[in-house]
Amino acid sequence: MAFVSSGYNPDKPMEDRITDIGNHHYGEFLPPVIKNNFGKWQWHEILEPGVLMHKAEGGDEVYTVRVGGMRLMSVEFAREICEIADKHCDGYVRFTTRNNIEFMVDSKDKVEPLKQDLMSRKMEGGSYKFPIGGTGAGLTNIIHTQGWIHCHTPATDASGTVKVVMDELFEEFQNMRLPAQLRISMACCLNMCGAVHCSDIAILGYHRKPPMIDDEFLDNLCEIPLAIAACPTAAIKPKKKEITSERTGEKKEVKSVEINVEKCMYCGNCYTMCPSLPLANAEGDGIVLMAGGKVSNRISAPKFSKVVVAFIPNEPPRWPTLAKTIRQIVEAYEKNARKYERLGEWAERIGWEKFFEVTGLEFSHHLIDDFRDPAYYTWRQTSNFKFTEGMNDYAAIKAE
Amino acid sequence: MATVEFKGKTFEIDEDGFLQSFDDWSPEWVDYVKESEGIKELTDEHRKVIDFLQDYYKKNGIAPMVRILSKVTGFKLKKIYELFPSGPGKGACKMAGLPKPTGCV
């Protein structure tokens, strides 16, 4: 399409420029029933998976239908959301902090038509557009990142892996049969954008090879001291090098860096700071699984998630090993944990040696913390431990 | 990689319009960039910022932190934005010929 001006004048960029107005006030978009009862809610209940009811002091009710969202969506899809909101909810709709979509109606008789409309909508390939669920003690949406769609530092894909895992565990999204809510998150490199460090199960993109060094351009493209300071293990040091230019063929001395491969643990922080240190690698890159994190303060304090699987290869487009391993963890948790017990609380109660036994995951030396002084506190300073026996045996102990 | 020619000089630039090599910088570069950075006329204040950025980069190998830039030049951040509407990174560093800012920007 030919250029169409919005009215912006590139010759006078600062003229009529509006800045610092922030976002709209949320009050502008509240459904009337929410606006009228703001701060007056008395109680709520989950009527069925994906459907909530809140009761206000005056007796007003609001029914919320939560549906899964894919987060990465087209304008066409957003318009379809608006169309549904127009049809059933007077044009009001909201998104949750896990990127689900919530449609709200003010009376019970409006819920059924809305539900039927939502479940009748499918993609051409057969996927539900608006699957209802994500409430209570079940699996809700997966918080995830950019992956190969848009980022330049990923070690795996985000949208792809998330679709695979949600397909695998779709029933848990539509049901509330787990001991407590299960939060799965995904980050495509260990920048950990999002919630992987504090989720029940976390999928994390991971490299296994040190960066390549583009000596010819490094000093031109990078601020060398920043690349050095970016390294958590001090594997990088400045170094002058004799190189033969690939472009001109001339020999010259350039400023560059040297990486001590023995010290490098492939975090990729230096590539973030310096474009001449790329490290993505098709065979080397893959996924680390972590488990046992939470953010709420309910019963136990918030926890970090811990590494439980050191490496799963990237297997696009369906990542079968990833799906299988996550299913393994979820099944063991569902079968063994007590009511209200989050995955991390369960693992800590039974002991991590039991966690590995019950889930059938392999324990390798990669899982033993070796990062600076605090690593010491993650080792076992006690003779309290269990000999491990078997999954079914353990389930029997729990049943007693 | 694109090259641009301006007043008889050739500059190699990336897709964001940053110089590929600090050594290629010349006063003509500033004239070439200022248009796209929303700067009509180059004042002494602009030059003071550019000169300081270049001195600091030559001496330390990095661009200064914003607070250092403010403290040394005496220009508050607001003033720097008045001089360089795209800000100290995209505006001033680009004109000074420094490498493109990196990290989660």
Side-chain angles (χ1 to χ4, degrees), chain B:
Chain B
M1 247 179 286
T3 47
V4 290
E5 286 191 35
F6 186 74
K7 289 186 181 167
K9 295 258 182 178
T10 313
F11 302 104
E12 223 173 282
I13 60 165
D14 64 12
E15 70 277 14
D16 294 313
F18 278 80
L19 271 186
Q20 284 293 84
S21 172
F22 181 64
D23 302 330
D24 291 351
W25 187 88
S26 66
E28 287 82 3
W29 170 250
V30 179
D31 281 339
Y32 170 73
V33 179
K34 68 177 188 198
E35 200 68 8
S36 65
E37 291 305 320
I39 297 164
K40 276 273 162 298
E41 210 51 57
L42 215 66
T43 64
D44 285 344
E45 289 177 328
H46 287 106
R47 284 196 194 91
K48 186 175 173 189
V49 172
I50 292 174
D51 286 347
F52 170 66
L53 288 174
Q54 294 190 326
D55 286 347
Y56 193 93
Y57 181 68
K58 281 181 207 156
K59 205 159 137 192
N60 300 298
I62 60 173
M65 278 172 275
V66 171
R67 288 159 58 132
I68 296 176
L69 178 64
S70 284
K71 198 165 184 178
V72 176
T73 58
F75 299 146
K76 293 239 166 72
L77 189 59
K78 190 160 180 284
K79 173 74 179 173
I80 293 172
Y81 270 91
E82 280 163 17
L83 296 171
F84 300 93
S86 337
K90 208 178 149 290
C93 282
K94 186 196 275 188
M95 290 179 92
L98 269 55
K100 184 159 60 185
T102 53
C104 296
V105 285

Side-chain angles (χ1 to χ4, degrees), chain A residues 227-246:
Chain A
I228 293 164
C231 186
T233 57
I236 307 179
K237 62 181 178 185
K239 174 124 180 151
K240 284 199 172 135
K241 293 183 186 170
E242 247 348 291
I243 61 152
T244 311
S245 167
E246 271 177 42

Side-chain angles (χ1 to χ4, degrees), chain A residues 11 13-14 17 191 217 219-226 247 272-275, chain B residues 1 12 20-22 38 40 57 60-63 85 99-104:
Chain A
D11 293 329
M14 303 302 274
R17 179 168 172 263
N191 224 356
F217 294 98
D219 187 37
N220 291 334
L221 298 179
C222 310
E223 300 166 56
I224 290 174
L226 296 189
R247 290 192 298 171
T272 302
M273 298 314 293
C274 172
Chain B
M1 247 179 286
E12 223 173 282
Q20 284 293 84
S21 172
F22 181 64
K40 276 273 162 298
Y57 181 68
N60 300 298
I62 60 173
K100 184 159 60 185
T102 53
C104 296

Side-chain angles (χ1 to χ4, degrees), chain A residues 16-177:
Chain A
D16 296 330
R17 179 168 172 263
I18 300 167
T19 67
D20 301 310
I21 54 171
N23 23 4
H24 281 269
H25 190 269
Y26 60 86
E28 292 171 45
F29 309 105
L30 293 179
V33 61
I34 303 280
K35 203 169 216 165
N36 296 338
N37 295 291
F38 200 96
K40 294 181 208 156
W41 300 105
Q42 279 198 315
W43 53 274
H44 72 275
E45 66 180 322
I46 303 174
L47 300 177
E48 58 185 281
V51 184
L52 305 154
M53 191 277 282
H54 287 76
K55 190 90 167 178
E57 276 167 15
D60 278 356
E61 290 175 347
V62 60
Y63 292 84
T64 306
V65 179
R66 183 178 296 168
V67 300
M70 73 287 266
R71 197 180 80 109
L72 190 73
M73 60 175 70
S74 65
V75 173
E76 215 173 47
F77 193 85
R79 288 211 174 106
E80 191 166 340
I81 296 172
C82 296
E83 182 224 309
I84 298 170
D86 281 338
K87 203 160 133 194
H88 298 275
C89 320
D90 303 321
Y92 294 98
V93 65
R94 70 182 287 272
F95 288 80
T96 70
T97 52
R98 295 190 82 88
N99 303 300
N100 286 314
I101 307 154
E102 285 185 349
F103 296 99
M104 283 159 289
V105 291
D106 50 15
S107 78
K108 193 161 192 176
D109 51 307
K110 293 179 185 169
V111 175
E112 208 47 44
L114 170 60
K115 271 174 57 191
Q116 271 168 15
D117 187 3
L118 290 168
M119 289 309 278
S120 71
R121 293 173 190 249
K122 288 194 171 186
M123 305 276 186
E124 257 174 56
S127 302
Y128 286 108
K129 277 183 172 170
F130 302 101
I132 298 171
T135 53
L139 168 69
T140 180
N141 215 351
I142 299 183
I143 295 273
H144 66 280
T145 56
Q146 312 238 24
W148 297 331
I149 293 280
H150 195 74
C151 190
H152 71 297
T153 63
T156 187
D157 189 33
S159 305
T161 52
V162 164
K163 167 70 173 156
V164 165
V165 175
M166 283 307 279
D167 278 352
E168 178 73 25
L169 299 175
F170 186 55
E171 287 187 344
E172 306 301 341
F173 180 80
Q174 293 186 303
N175 283 293
M176 305 191 295
R177 57 192 185 189

Side-chain angles (χ1 to χ4, degrees), chain A residues 266-301:
Chain A
Y266 334 119
C267 68
N269 282 356
C270 54
Y271 177 59
T272 302
M273 298 314 293
C274 172
S276 300
L277 298 168
L279 78 163
N281 181 287
E283 289 79 40
D285 294 355
I287 286 166
V288 163
L289 283 187
M290 312 203 299
K294 76 196 241 317
V295 287
S296 83
N297 221 343
R298 198 200 55 179
I299 303 176
S300 66

